[in-house]
């Protein structure tokens, strides 16, 4: 079996394990069974991908999206992007009461913490399975964004890496099928090189 | 007498969740810190019975804060509450003196059983 395939398998399995952990965490946060479906995985030169390759039905939509990001630091640089439609935002925050302090948007605070927990759930499994030190920074509330999120991603990595590994999923909800948050992970492609090391390949 | 608690977490949402759960169980929240500097200042000013400590803060790592507490002889019981779930990090927290380590998300029951076990 070629190393490249095994390398992909190691990364794929690590991400699968992380996404399952994240889906279970999200189930607990929203009191509803949450599953995920893989969308896309590939390596790209930094400026050569866009949303249409990651998630075709998302490309070209005019509706603004909420974007929350978490930077990954440690042995490898990366970033997670949690993208919510307006419907996702409304449904996920429907039980969150607004703070008495009007300067604070409690729904945004809730979703930042959701992103923190989901990103950490993935990082925990990636770190354990790939035997790398990885930590998630505090989440950043970016959205709403109108432009192609792919442009934001390109700009985030332009000075950080020449090639990146992309892996993305959509969360699906048992009782509310209209909710489909997109969760994109971009890592410096060094992670793929590391995943090919003999001690990780079974 | 109600035990005094200091909550350390950068997330206002999480501080509110922890505060509500502990207050309903009869604990007294004496302070809240959103970063490492506040976590150290308030801990030594307030000398709470219990500190709930997040691990990733904007300016410091929770385990580094634990080292400061330990070096300065703070007697408070620390429970780490963090989304970071790596076994090595959990073990580091416990080795540095945390009495328990709760991985987010958690239930009120998990939180209460950890504080009641102190």
């Amino acid at each position: 079996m070629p190393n490249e395939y095994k390398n992909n398998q190691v990364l794929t399995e690590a991400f699968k394990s992380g996404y399952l952990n994240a889906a279970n965490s999200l189930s607990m946060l929203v009191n509803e069974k949450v599953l995920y479906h893989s969308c896309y995985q590939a390596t790209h030169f930094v400026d050569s991908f866009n949303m249409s390759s990651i998630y075709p039905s998302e490309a070209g939509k005019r509706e603004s999206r909420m974007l929350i990001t978490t930077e990954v630091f440690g042995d490898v640089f990366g970033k997670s992007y949690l993208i919510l439609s307006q419907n996702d935002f409304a449904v996920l925050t429907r039980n969150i009461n607004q703070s008495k302090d009007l300067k604070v948007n409690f729904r945004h605070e809730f979703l930042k913490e959701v992103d923190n927990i989901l990103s950490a759930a993935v990082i925990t499994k990636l770190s354990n399975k790939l035997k790398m030190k990885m930590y998630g920074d505090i989440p950043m509330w970016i959205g709403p964004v109108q432009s192609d999120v792919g442009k934001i991603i390109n700009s985030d990595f332009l000075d950080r890496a020449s090639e990146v590994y992309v892996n993305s999923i959509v969360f699906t909800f048992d009782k509310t099928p209209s909710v489909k948050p997109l969760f994109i992970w971009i890592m410096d492609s060094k992670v793929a090189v590391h995943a090919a090391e003999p001690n990780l390949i079974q | 007498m109600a035990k005094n608690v200091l909550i350390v977490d950068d997330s206002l949402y999480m501080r509110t969740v922890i505060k509500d759960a502990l207050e309903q169980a009869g604990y007294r929240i004496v302070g809240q810190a959103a970063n490492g500097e506040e976590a150290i200042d308030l801990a030594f000013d307030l000398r709470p019975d219990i500190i709930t400590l997040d691990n990733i803060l904007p300016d410091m790592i929770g385990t580094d804060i634990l080292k400061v507490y330990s070096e300065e002889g703070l007697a408070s019981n620390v429970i780490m509450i963090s989304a970071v779930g790596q076994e090595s990090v959990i073990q580091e927290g416990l080795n540095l003196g945390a009495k328990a380590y709760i991985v987010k998300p958690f239930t009120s029951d998990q939180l209460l059983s950890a504080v009641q076990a102190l």
Side-chain angles (χ1 to χ4, degrees):
Chain A
M1 192 177 287
N3 262 357
E4 193 179 342
Y5 177 72
K6 288 180 179 175
N7 159 16
N8 284 342
Q9 284 295 95
V10 170
L11 263 185
T12 301
E13 291 305 317
F15 268 98
K16 272 186 185 172
S17 175
Y19 290 146
L20 183 62
N21 199 24
N24 289 338
S25 294
L26 190 51
S27 296
M28 200 168 158
L29 287 164
V30 299
N31 289 318
E32 181 176 344
K33 189 173 180 185
V34 178
L35 299 172
Y36 75 88
H37 296 289
S38 294
C39 291
Y40 185 81
Q41 72 161 323
T43 40
H44 280 272
F45 288 112
V46 165
D47 56 358
S48 70
F49 69 90
N50 53 45
M51 285 302 286
S52 61
S53 55
I54 295 174
Y55 194 47
S57 65
E58 196 70 2
K61 282 195 174 172
R62 286 172 171 261
E63 183 196 338
S64 66
R65 294 283 187 268
M66 301 293 174
L67 174 62
I68 311 162
T69 65
T70 292
E71 203 165 290
V72 178
F73 61 97
D75 289 341
V76 67
F77 175 74
K79 208 161 180 178
S80 72
Y81 299 80
L82 182 64
I83 301 168
L84 308 170
S85 70
Q86 289 171 21
N87 177 61
D88 297 340
F89 177 82
V91 174
L92 289 176
T93 60
R94 65 189 161 194
N95 295 324
I96 304 298
N97 295 322
Q98 183 51 40
S99 165
K100 289 169 196 161
D101 180 354
L102 294 177
K103 285 182 281 187
V104 175
N105 189 322
F106 215 56
R107 295 190 173 104
H108 291 184
E109 291 293 320
F110 168 70
L111 287 173
K112 272 168 61 182
E113 189 58 17
V114 168
D115 178 69
N116 177 41
I117 289 169
L118 298 184
S119 296
V122 175
I123 289 168
T124 294
K125 295 295 182 182
L126 291 181
S127 172
N128 288 342
K129 298 216 177 263
L130 300 176
K131 298 182 174 61
M132 298 179 95
K133 285 184 182 169
M134 295 170 69
Y135 307 97
D137 207 343
I138 56 170
M140 299 292 291
W141 179 268
I142 309 292
V145 292
Q146 293 283 351
S147 62
D148 183 357
V149 176
K151 287 179 189 166
I152 294 173
I153 293 171
N154 282 331
S155 125
D156 283 347
F157 279 81
L158 211 51
D159 297 328
R160 298 284 202 146
S162 55
E163 199 178 41
V164 288
Y165 173 77
V166 182
N167 196 313
S168 67
I169 58 160
V170 170
F171 288 111
T172 56
F173 292 65
D174 199 32
K175 294 179 199 158
T176 42
S178 67
V179 177
K180 291 176 182 173
L182 180 60
F183 202 29
I184 303 173
W185 280 76
I186 316 281
M187 312 285 292
D188 188 319
S189 62
K190 285 175 190 165
V191 76
V193 175
H194 174 83
E197 287 181 3
N199 63 324
L200 294 173
I201 298 173
Q202 303 292 315
Chain B
M1 200 167 87
K3 286 187 175 174
N4 294 333
V5 182
L6 168 65
I7 300 170
V8 181
D9 200 304
D10 61 289
S11 163
L12 172 62
Y13 172 78
M14 190 49 67
R15 293 200 304 274
T16 306
V17 167
I18 295 169
K19 177 176 179 282
D20 290 350
L22 293 180
E23 281 184 342
Q24 279 178 24
Y27 292 86
R28 183 164 165 258
I29 309 306
V30 291
Q32 295 186 38
N35 58 54
E37 190 182 345
E38 287 177 2
I40 291 169
D41 289 347
L42 287 175
F44 289 99
D45 286 350
L46 301 169
R47 306 270 170 180
D49 301 304
I50 300 165
I51 299 172
T52 68
L53 178 63
D54 190 10
N55 199 34
I56 302 290
L57 296 162
D59 56 344
M60 284 182 86
I61 301 292
T63 46
D64 288 339
I65 296 170
L66 270 178
K67 286 177 193 165
V68 175
Y69 289 167
S70 170
E71 285 163 7
E72 300 295 326
L74 187 75
S76 307
N77 288 309
V78 178
I79 295 175
M80 295 197 77
I81 303 178
S82 174
V84 178
Q86 284 102 310
E87 196 51 50
S88 58
V89 177
I90 294 172
Q91 204 51 56
E92 185 186 10
L94 296 174
N95 290 344
L96 287 167
K99 301 291 185 196
Y101 193 114
I102 299 172
V103 179
K104 299 173 185 173
F106 56 88
T107 63
S108 294
D109 287 347
Q110 282 175 287
L111 174 61
L112 293 179
S113 62
V115 292
Q116 284 160 1
L118 295 172

